[in-house]
Amino acid sequence: MSLSITGATEGQLQIHLSTKQKQYAVPDVPYSIRANVGSKELNVLLNTLLSDAGCTLTEKVDFDFLLNGEFVKIPLGQHLKEREISFEDTIDIEYVERYPAPEPQDCLLHDDWVSAVQAKEGWILTGCYDNTVNLWNTKGKHKLTIPGHVGPVKGVAWITLNDKTGVFASASHDQNVMLWEWNVAANSVECVYVCKGHERGVGCVAVNPSKTQMGTGSMDTMLKIWSTDVHEEKNEPSASKKAKLEQENVRTPIITLAGHREFVSGVQWMDNSTVATSSWDHTIKIWDLSLGGIKAEFSGNKSFFDLSYSPLNGMIVTASPDKNLRLYDPRSKYATFVKNTYLGHTQWVQTCRWSTTNEYLFVSGAYDNQVKMWDYRSPKAPIYELIGHEDKVLACDWSNPQYILSGGSDNAVRVFKSKICGSSN
């Protein structure tokens, strides 16, 4: 059997259609189509085949199409020519159900630029240029404004959260990282420790998978690792200086790692003993904490403003001022080579974050006021644009799978609701 979508004068292709989503499987036979068809025509064909196969769809399903692991975004013949794939061979095309579009839900207004944001369950932490940390719920209600820093707050990170207490960290241009304990019932917060050691502003903070340590990156070019324990037993002071430190609830780093030459702009934990950092010095470094040194290094031709690591796929995505995002695979023997470059922003890309439940998806924010959602298999264009910011986007987050968050210099956090499931949907 062969089904045709052909014209008299156009080149033809033989294709095989397959999917991992078994509910949408069609007969495994060759189909003859015109070379100039795109995803629109392939969708018509696929929905017709599903209908003919007796698949009871309540409404038309939209699909995306992959060839050799890359989305087809242009006419099929053009896609093949650009990749020098022969028209003579039968072309294997995989199809997947198109992801639902994120829906705008809320706008959380602040008094100054929002430079940090992270969600955990039903709560959102934000860091602001007015030196405050703010706590919101995902329904858009403001719960707390937390003063304490004396410089813009550039990083926030949840450590633990339960019905009674939440513990989180904030990093600031004032050179300090603060550890906070929030009493949920009383809605009161206390600074338990001030982490001192950086000699210039701190730009990023991240917590390890076991929630026992955090890493910070600073303009002093250092990566520092700290304990996140807010209830550890305090040792008896052995000297007057130590007594003074304890009295002030000051914490010092467990380890300081030198190696970058400029601002450490991003920090991510790959596992409990491996940290990845990005820097304005044009490098990504991977640190082995058990050895206390650099395990691997990638160099770019531009500064790196941010990075995000996905434990689902083992890859790193980076943001840079040349308007591009780049994908690296640190496990590959070609790890130092860029696996893909993502084009779509028109200004500096400031921030990027992987989905925590879908191995293919990440979001980015840039100085073009745009937040974009990407599938790493589709480098030429984002799959969605999340519109709303009226000024530069400074931070984004997708820690809670249901909410895509972004903060900007329009003093706002934009909240988008996401209905995207995991990779296998």
Side-chain angles (χ1 to χ4, degrees):
M1 166 190 167
S2 151
L3 189 145
S4 301
I5 303 184
T6 57
T9 59
E10 290 155 340
Q12 292 187 21
L13 294 170
Q14 291 279 322
I15 64 167
H16 260 294
L17 292 168
S18 65
T19 184
K20 295 185 178 78
Q21 296 169 289
K22 298 304 179 191
Q23 71 271 34
Y24 298 130
V26 296
D28 182 17
V29 294
Y31 301 100
S32 181
I33 62 169
R34 294 193 311 269
N36 68 343
V37 303
S39 66
K40 184 180 176 183
E41 293 86 354
L42 287 170
N43 262 298
V44 171
L45 168 62
L46 200 45
N47 275 273
T48 303
L49 292 171
L50 287 167
S51 176
D52 291 349
C55 184
T56 53
L57 301 175
T58 52
E59 55 187 39
K60 179 178 173 285
V61 178
D62 286 323
F63 296 95
D64 282 315
F65 300 88
L66 296 118
L67 203 160
N68 294 335
E70 186 183 356
F71 276 116
V72 178
K73 293 292 187 184
I74 52 179
L76 196 50
Q78 188 183 337
H79 184 99
L80 295 174
K81 279 178 189 168
E82 286 182 7
R83 287 150 188 81
E84 298 180 346
I85 298 170
S86 169
F87 281 50
E88 303 300 317
D89 301 329
T90 300
I91 308 299
D92 291 315
I93 295 177
E94 181 186 352
Y95 55 96
V96 293
E97 186 178 3
R98 188 168 294 164
Y99 296 115
E103 297 169 1
Q105 176 174 298
D106 230 322
C107 177
L108 314 180
L109 289 175
H110 294 65
D111 293 333
D112 210 331
W113 293 9
V114 182
S115 44
V117 60
Q118 192 180 73
K120 189 172 178 68
E121 297 167 17
W123 301 99
I124 298 169
L125 276 176
T126 60
C128 207
Y129 261 69
D130 65 2
N131 309 346
T132 65
V133 177
N134 290 269
L135 185 61
W136 306 73
N137 66 21
T138 50
K139 294 180 169 58
K141 183 174 173 55
H142 186 257
K143 300 292 284 187
L144 272 177
T145 298
I146 306 165
H149 285 290
V150 292
V153 178
K154 298 288 287 182
V156 291
W158 284 101
I159 298 166
T160 58
L161 178 63
N162 57 39
D163 293 341
K164 294 180 180 177
T165 58
V167 177
F168 53 87
S170 57
S172 168
H173 273 182
D174 66 10
Q175 305 183 12
N176 294 332
V177 181
M178 290 185 165
L179 278 173
W180 306 88
E181 189 165 37
W182 171 44
N183 182 318
V184 177
N187 195 33
S188 62
V189 72
E190 176 194 1
C191 177
V192 187
Y193 284 103
V194 180
C195 302
K196 288 182 176 286
H198 282 297
E199 294 176 6
R200 291 185 67 192
V202 188
C204 51
V205 58
V207 178
N208 71 352
S210 63
K211 313 301 181 191
T212 56
Q213 294 179 344
M214 61 183 176
T216 55
S218 165
M219 291 177 185
D220 66 8
T221 74
M222 300 298 169
L223 165 66
K224 290 182 186 283
I225 308 297
W226 318 75
S227 168
T228 58
D229 189 353
V230 292
H231 297 299
E232 67 182 14
E233 290 297 315
K234 293 180 180 176
N235 298 322
E236 287 300 310
S238 58
S240 59
K241 184 182 177 186
K242 211 161 193 181
K244 185 170 182 285
L245 287 178
E246 294 291 359
Q247 189 182 343
E248 293 175 354
N249 286 342
V250 167
R251 175 167 285 172
T252 52
I254 298 168
I255 185 172
T256 296
L257 296 156
H260 282 296
R261 297 185 307 281
E262 291 192 49
F263 173 43
V264 180
S265 55
V267 58
Q268 293 271 287
W269 292 79
M270 298 173 70
D271 57 43
N272 282 321
S273 62
T274 313
V275 175
T277 52
S278 61
S279 171
W280 287 7
D281 67 8
H282 300 195
T283 68
I284 303 290
K285 296 188 195 298
I286 297 175
W287 307 80
D288 185 329
L289 300 187
S290 57
L291 298 175
I294 297 166
K295 186 176 171 180
E297 181 178 314
F298 320 146
S299 293
N301 58 2
K302 296 286 180 187
S303 294
F304 291 108
F305 283 174
D306 197 12
L307 85 166
S308 182
Y309 170 76
S310 171
L312 300 177
N313 59 35
M315 291 191 281
I316 290 170
V317 66
T318 64
S320 288
D322 65 354
K323 311 170 191 174
N324 295 330
L325 295 122
R326 290 177 176 83
L327 185 70
Y328 295 88
D329 185 352
R331 301 159 304 176
S332 164
K333 64 178 179 179
Y334 304 110
T336 54
F337 295 103
V338 178
K339 194 174 171 72
N340 251 332
T341 302
Y342 300 87
L343 315 165
H345 284 293
T346 57
Q347 295 288 333
W348 288 8
V349 187
Q350 181 65 32
T351 175
C352 55
R353 285 294 177 268
W354 283 104
S355 162
T356 53
T357 54
N358 186 298
E359 66 178 292
Y360 300 115
L361 302 183
F362 62 91
V363 290
S364 62
Y367 277 27
D368 58 10
N369 310 353
Q370 299 283 311
V371 176
K372 297 181 189 290
M373 181 189 289
W374 305 83
D375 186 305
Y376 81 66
R377 300 167 293 184
S378 181
K380 295 273 176 80
I383 57 172
Y384 289 114
E385 295 184 345
L386 285 59
I387 308 298
H389 281 289
E390 295 170 6
D391 209 335
K392 299 184 290 288
V393 180
L394 305 176
C396 66
D397 178 67
W398 202 354
S399 301
N400 180 331
Q402 292 180 287
Y403 300 100
I404 297 166
L405 311 171
S406 54
S409 47
D410 56 0
N411 302 359
V413 167
R414 294 277 169 181
V415 182
F416 277 76
K417 188 87 162 84
S418 171
K419 295 180 180 173
I420 294 168
C421 307
S423 305
S424 57
N425 343 9

